[in-house]
Amino acid sequence: MKLSMRRISLRLRLMLVFALVALAAAVSASAIAYWLNRDAVLTRTQNAALDDFRKTLQDSTGSLPLPPTCPDLQEAADRMAATSQKYEVLLIGKVKGGGDCAAPSDRELFTLSVVPKTLVTAVNRERKVDESNPYPYHLYWQRITLDGKPYLVAGAKVIGGGPTGYLLKSLENERADLNSLGWSLGIATGLALIGSALLAQAAASTVLRPVQRLGDAARRLGEGKLDTRLQVSGTDELADLSRTFNRTAESLQKRVEDLSSREAASRRFVADMSHELRTPLTAITAVTEVLEDEADSLDPMIAPVVQLVVSETRRLNDLVENLMEVTRFDAGTARLVLDDVDIADQITACIDARAWLDAVELDAERGIMAQLDPRRLDVILANLIGNALKHGGSPVRVSVRQTEDSLVIAVRDHGPGIPEDVLPHVFDRFYKASASRPRSEGSGLGLSIALENAHIHGGEITAMNSPEGGAVFTLTLPRDASGLEEGDGTPSSGSGAAGEGGTS
């Protein structure tokens, strides 16, 4: 129930609370008014009838002969029923000649069987006369229902050997009056409920309109429209909240603008630095290639140094290429160049180009086609397979399966797996799991570049440990990336070497 209430809008909840409070108040007031009026109406009618019955019973039976005849009792009963209170009378007593006589004013409606036995017993029970009870017999009454209609029935025994009298008075008029009162109170309750709903609507509009404007402004602010501001009027709490929002938005805009300018400057610096490094690196690379070709003729003391220069030059070249690729992703200029790709052929070409055929097992059916960027797919595969070969254990198994609209490429090694504290960071830039090899061949950017290339396709890469041992990197890509925006910028080129974004 609590969860369901949270799903209801604030306006509806406010109206519902108003309605429930108004309904509870109106129902309570109506119920109290109804019961007070009901008690007053019934008590007034009952007292009037009982007082009249007591007086007429005394007057009518006081003139009867002792013992009376049955016609005498019938005449007295008819005379008592002719009063303004309009009740029926039943007189029961011993008559001349012996025996009992029951004389009702209406033989079809009022007989002794109508009177509850408990009332008959109470009326005929003689009570001890003392200081607190001067009379042996008393008048008793009870409300009953006959054929769905309410009646008042009462009885008393005449003191001194007289007859016993009972009255039966209809309360139908009183019930009709009370029903009319109930309908009136019900209508009043309904009107109060409608009024409370209208009042709640007005209150909700007054209170929630500024809240709605604040919500819309916060939504626009979250969408990046940092110049969003609220018009403030008044001095209440909502006005203070709007002023606080405006100050927060202004501070956030200044902070974001400052961070954006710093980030742009940083990206420009990295891009310019990488670009400027390419020219001298090209010359250095050419020199190192010559030195590598002449390594056999060099002094044995110099050959290791030359080999170190060659390897570090290649590592630096890969790092510069990776930095330029990362800069393109950060700047949002990386674009897709789509083509129809046979996934099995693409993986085979990637493995063959890097001479990994003996160390990699491929489980992929030919003919699985996808519309992807083949160069970026090659970068992803090279980084995942190279990372598995370098930090995992052979053989590395690459398996491909397809679904209706996506394909899944899993790269699994047979190494020790990835430590649990390293798993969340394997795709972080420049992250290296072991501090003991800070100068390893990788740049620490390979897996992060692979992840970015997967994201630009609308895909994802996940890393986990296999229950059977080793690490598993799973690449999920759409089979058709044409729904994404195709690039019109300068094609970017990533390193084909396996990076070192994580350790498996």
Side-chain angles (χ1 to χ4, degrees):
M1 179 64 181
K2 186 175 180 181
L3 183 59
S4 299
M5 284 294 293
R6 288 181 178 177
R7 293 178 179 175
I8 301 176
S9 66
L10 183 59
R11 178 186 297 273
L12 187 58
R13 274 187 284 172
L14 185 60
M15 294 180 63
L16 186 61
V17 169
F18 265 80
L20 290 176
V21 171
L23 181 62
V27 168
S28 300
S30 298
I32 293 173
Y34 178 81
W35 285 107
L36 289 177
N37 280 275
R38 179 180 182 276
D39 185 67
V41 169
L42 293 179
T43 300
R44 183 174 63 250
T45 301
Q46 173 182 298
N47 290 341
L50 294 177
D51 290 343
D52 184 80
F53 175 71
R54 182 185 292 109
K55 183 176 181 301
T56 56
L57 180 63
Q58 182 179 358
D59 293 343
S60 297
T61 59
S63 59
L64 291 175
L66 293 176
T69 64
C70 198
D72 291 336
L73 289 178
Q74 185 65 54
E75 182 181 356
D78 293 338
R79 187 167 56 250
M80 291 176 63
T83 64
S84 61
Q85 290 298 319
K86 298 180 179 180
Y87 50 73
E88 302 298 332
V89 177
L90 173 64
L91 294 178
I92 300 175
K94 295 186 178 298
V95 296
K96 185 182 296 184
D100 294 330
C101 176
S105 60
D106 188 337
R107 294 182 180 276
E108 295 182 357
L109 177 64
F110 195 19
T111 62
L112 186 60
S113 62
V114 173
V115 182
K117 293 182 179 180
T118 54
L119 182 62
V120 173
T121 302
V123 169
N124 292 322
R125 184 175 67 246
E126 185 177 0
R127 303 176 62 183
K128 183 179 180 181
V129 177
D130 52 26
E131 293 181 359
S132 61
N133 180 45
Y135 303 107
Y137 297 101
H138 291 263
L139 174 66
Y140 294 93
W141 60 269
Q142 185 175 340
R143 295 184 192 130
I144 63 173
T145 301
L146 295 176
D147 298 329
K149 297 180 180 180
Y151 287 91
L152 172 67
V153 61
K157 189 176 183 64
V158 178
I159 301 173
T164 301
Y166 294 96
L167 75 82
L168 182 69
K169 179 175 178 57
S170 173
L171 300 177
E172 186 68 20
N173 292 335
E174 286 71 20
R175 184 170 72 171
D177 292 340
L178 291 174
N179 288 341
S180 177
L181 175 63
W183 278 105
S184 299
L185 292 175
I187 294 173
T189 300
L191 293 176
L193 186 60
I194 295 174
S196 68
L198 296 176
L199 180 62
Q201 174 67 21
S205 299
T206 302
V207 174
L208 298 181
R209 189 176 295 112
V211 176
Q212 186 177 10
R213 288 199 296 265
L214 180 62
D216 293 338
R219 191 177 301 108
R220 292 195 300 271
L221 192 67
E223 292 172 353
K225 301 175 182 178
L226 300 180
D227 58 344
T228 301
R229 299 293 185 274
L230 290 171
Q231 292 183 353
V232 183
S233 60
T235 57
D236 56 9
E237 290 81 358
L238 291 174
D240 292 340
L241 181 60
S242 299
R243 293 188 184 94
T244 302
F245 174 85
N246 288 340
R247 289 194 295 268
T248 302
E250 183 177 0
S251 176
L252 179 62
Q253 183 180 18
K254 292 180 179 178
R255 181 67 61 86
V256 170
E257 288 176 351
D258 182 50
L259 292 176
S260 297
S261 62
R262 293 183 182 181
E263 183 181 3
S266 177
R267 285 199 302 267
R268 284 196 303 270
F269 172 77
V270 174
D272 293 343
M273 180 188 67
S274 301
H275 181 73
E276 292 299 325
L277 285 174
R278 294 188 73 176
T279 300
L281 270 177
T282 302
I284 294 174
T285 301
V287 173
T288 56
E289 290 176 354
V290 173
L291 290 175
E292 188 177 20
D293 292 337
E294 299 294 332
D296 295 337
S297 60
L298 294 177
D299 190 312
M301 298 294 294
I302 301 176
V305 178
V306 171
Q307 189 61 39
L308 177 62
V309 171
V310 170
S311 62
E312 289 299 314
T313 300
R314 288 175 178 171
R315 180 170 177 269
L316 181 59
N317 189 65
D318 290 342
L319 176 60
V320 171
E321 293 293 337
N322 286 340
L323 285 174
M324 294 185 69
E325 184 76 354
V326 168
T327 303
R328 292 188 186 96
F329 283 121
D330 290 344
T333 59
R335 296 292 183 265
L336 293 175
V337 180
L338 299 179
D339 196 2
D340 290 329
V341 177
D342 186 306
I343 301 301
D345 289 345
Q346 180 73 25
I347 298 175
T348 301
C350 174
I351 297 172
D352 185 51
R354 293 160 180 82
W356 292 338
L357 287 174
D358 295 335
V360 178
E361 297 177 356
L362 177 59
D363 179 14
E365 296 181 2
R366 296 192 178 276
I368 299 178
M369 303 299 296
Q371 192 169 32
L372 303 168
D373 187 328
R375 185 192 63 80
R376 294 188 181 279
L377 179 58
D378 182 77
V379 171
I380 298 173
L381 295 171
N383 278 285
L384 294 182
I385 298 173
N387 187 77
L389 289 171
K390 184 184 302 182
H391 305 297
S394 296
V396 172
R397 182 178 179 82
V398 181
S399 58
V400 180
R401 59 184 177 88
Q402 59 180 332
T403 62
E404 183 178 352
D405 54 0
S406 63
L407 60 92
V408 179
I409 303 175
V411 179
R412 179 194 169 192
D413 61 53
H414 289 75
I418 306 174
E420 292 298 327
D421 60 331
V422 174
L423 268 176
H425 306 286
V426 292
F427 295 106
D428 293 352
R429 294 177 182 177
F430 298 107
Y431 182 80
K432 296 183 180 181
S434 175
S436 63
R437 50 181 182 85
R439 290 187 52 81
S440 61
E441 294 182 5
S443 63
L445 292 173
L447 288 180
S448 65
I449 290 175
L451 183 63
E452 293 289 352
N453 278 302
H455 286 170
I456 200 174
H457 279 91
E460 186 61 71
I461 304 177
T462 58
M464 62 179 293
N465 289 317
S466 173
E468 300 174 359
V472 180
F473 285 80
T474 304
L475 168 66
T476 304
L477 294 175
R479 297 188 63 178
D480 186 359
S482 59
L484 303 173
E485 181 181 2
E486 294 193 16
D488 55 358
T490 303
S492 57
S493 59
S495 173
E500 197 176 329
T503 302
S504 49

